[in-house]
Amino acid sequence: MKDLSVVITVLNERENILPLLEAIRNALGPLSYEVVFVDDGSSDGTQKEIRKYADDHIILVELRRNYGQSTAMTAGIEHSTGRYIALLDGDLQNDPTDIPMMLEKLIDEDWDVVAGNRKDRQDGAFLRKFPSMIANAIIRRMTGVYIKDYGCTLKVFKREIAEDLGIYGELHRFIPVLAKLQGASITQVDVKHHARMYGKSKYGLSRTFKVMADLITMVFFGKYIQKPMHLFGTLGFVSFGLGLLINFYLLILKLLGHDIGGKPLLILGLILLLGGIQLITIGIIAEISIRNYFEGTNRKTYQVRRIFNGQEETLE
């Protein structure tokens, strides 16, 4: 088993491969490491470039089509063998020389995850940095995981944390949140960042709405994944209660001889009643689904960091 696996997802990064490999070899030369490239459906010859300059440290995983960065990361982690895992972008904007420092911090201070923070980010202010700053602030506020730079791919993990992240869809932006759901200890360090020299960025303002949609998923996972009825049931009972009060008030008016047929309040009361019933029903179904998830897959509702039996300590 290697000490370190560097997982790099690439999509049409042919011109960056050789300088990236040279930078990795210079930075990680003394370490026992492997580099797992995951080609996410490139069409510019990126795969051929990796094979051309590969040595015995290189593993290339070619996906049949473009699945997205999250799926590619998962494939890279599953095909790696290292005791520790580093995630690195393939566009030369992250600097491999930061990895030894991050790995040393992870080991010496016993962190589960060390995340990079692009202190002097070399991207456009309007299209990249400003939207990212707002998104980071919202994510920190809503998830309670206070990482400065969620958009920085460069991170180093203990293997057991990386294997259980459950990255799918486009949840790679929320890796610190996914790790925190496992009870992982996370710290962050400032890392170098370079302007892109070759190729084009795969990101733009269009991803903002996707990030916001995924954020709702992360908030739900963080607070209600084991108790969905606490969310849907609470909303349902509040809605049902308000609807009941409104309709009781309208009943009193009707008994007093008032015409309630044309009142918008009647429609609101009915909507709240029916909405409350639906939310409570969704909560029950969600509870059944979560129970089937944990019991049917034999997944535990907890994770153990380590066990000490009085004589020796073992890691889970």
Side-chain angles (χ1 to χ4, degrees):
M1 176 184 284
K2 301 287 187 181
D3 289 334
L4 176 67
S5 294
V6 181
V7 175
I8 306 174
T9 62
V10 289
L11 174 62
N12 295 333
E13 299 285 1
R14 181 178 58 85
E15 294 173 301
N16 288 318
I17 296 303
L18 178 56
L20 177 60
L21 281 174
E22 290 176 345
I24 290 173
R25 287 163 180 157
N26 290 334
L28 306 184
L31 300 176
S32 170
Y33 73 94
E34 64 182 8
V35 179
V36 182
F37 280 100
V38 182
D39 182 78
D40 191 22
S42 294
S43 57
D44 69 340
T46 295
Q47 312 95 322
K48 294 179 180 178
E49 200 75 1
I50 293 171
R51 289 196 191 95
K52 180 178 179 181
Y53 297 106
D55 55 21
D56 56 0
H57 292 286
I58 306 301
I59 298 170
L60 172 60
V61 179
E62 293 185 38
L63 303 185
R64 291 186 181 275
R65 62 176 178 83
N66 177 243
Y67 289 91
Q69 191 172 359
S70 292
T71 301
M73 282 182 179
T74 298
I77 292 169
E78 289 178 350
H79 286 82
S80 67
T81 62
R83 187 175 291 107
Y84 304 100
I85 295 175
L87 299 180
L88 184 70
D89 266 337
D91 56 10
L92 288 176
Q93 291 195 268
N94 293 145
D95 198 319
T97 60
D98 288 313
I99 294 177
M101 173 270 293
M102 297 172 74
L103 180 61
E104 183 178 1
K105 186 175 185 67
L106 183 99
I107 297 172
D108 292 348
E109 300 180 16
D110 195 26
W111 294 99
D112 293 317
V113 182
V114 177
N117 172 47
R118 295 167 292 184
K119 186 177 180 181
D120 297 312
R121 186 175 175 183
Q122 303 298 308
D123 282 322
F126 179 71
L127 293 178
R128 301 291 298 277
K129 294 170 72 173
F130 184 66
S132 180
M133 181 177 64
I134 295 175
N136 285 330
I138 294 173
I139 294 170
R140 287 194 296 268
R141 179 72 175 176
M142 293 187 68
T143 64
V145 181
Y146 292 94
I147 295 296
K148 293 179 181 178
D149 188 358
Y150 275 88
C152 182
T153 300
L154 183 54
K155 297 175 181 70
V156 179
F157 306 81
K158 290 180 179 176
R159 179 167 197 85
E160 61 269 21
I161 298 297
E163 286 181 329
D164 289 337
L165 282 174
I167 313 172
Y168 59 89
E170 294 193 17
L171 296 183
H172 58 275
R173 304 181 184 95
F174 298 95
I175 284 177
V177 181
L178 292 170
K180 202 68 176 181
L181 289 177
Q182 300 182 45
S185 58
I186 305 173
T187 190
Q188 54 190 338
V189 294
D190 290 339
V191 296
K192 295 180 282 295
H193 191 250
H194 305 293
R196 177 182 270 273
M197 296 177 61
Y198 307 108
K200 296 180 179 179
S201 173
K202 314 302 187 295
Y203 305 112
L205 286 175
S206 60
R207 67 175 177 166
T208 303
F209 300 105
K210 297 177 183 178
V211 172
M212 293 299 104
D214 289 336
L215 177 57
I216 295 173
T217 303
M218 286 292 93
V219 172
F220 177 80
F221 280 175
K223 296 183 178 180
Y224 301 107
I225 188 62
Q226 294 186 33
K227 47 190 178 184
M229 192 62 176
H230 287 196
L231 173 63
F232 296 110
T234 300
L235 293 175
F237 281 115
V238 169
S239 177
F240 185 83
L242 288 173
L244 206 60
L245 287 173
I246 290 172
N247 283 282
F248 181 74
Y249 166 71
L250 292 173
L251 176 63
I252 299 298
L253 291 181
K254 183 67 175 178
L255 293 175
L256 292 174
H258 295 280
D259 180 21
I260 63 172
K263 288 184 177 292
L265 199 60
L266 177 62
I267 299 175
L268 176 61
L270 290 174
I271 290 174
L272 288 172
L273 274 176
L274 294 175
I277 293 171
Q278 287 183 324
L279 285 168
I280 293 169
T281 303
I282 291 172
I284 294 171
I285 294 172
E287 285 284 345
I288 294 171
S289 299
I290 292 299
R291 183 174 293 273
N292 288 337
Y293 170 72
F294 283 110
E295 294 181 0
T297 59
N298 293 320
R299 291 181 69 93
K300 295 183 177 64
T301 56
Y302 64 90
Q303 290 190 335
V304 177
R305 183 186 300 275
R306 58 174 63 89
I307 298 173
F308 181 68
N309 63 10
Q311 295 180 335
E312 61 181 8
E313 197 173 70
T314 57
L315 297 177
E316 286 292 296

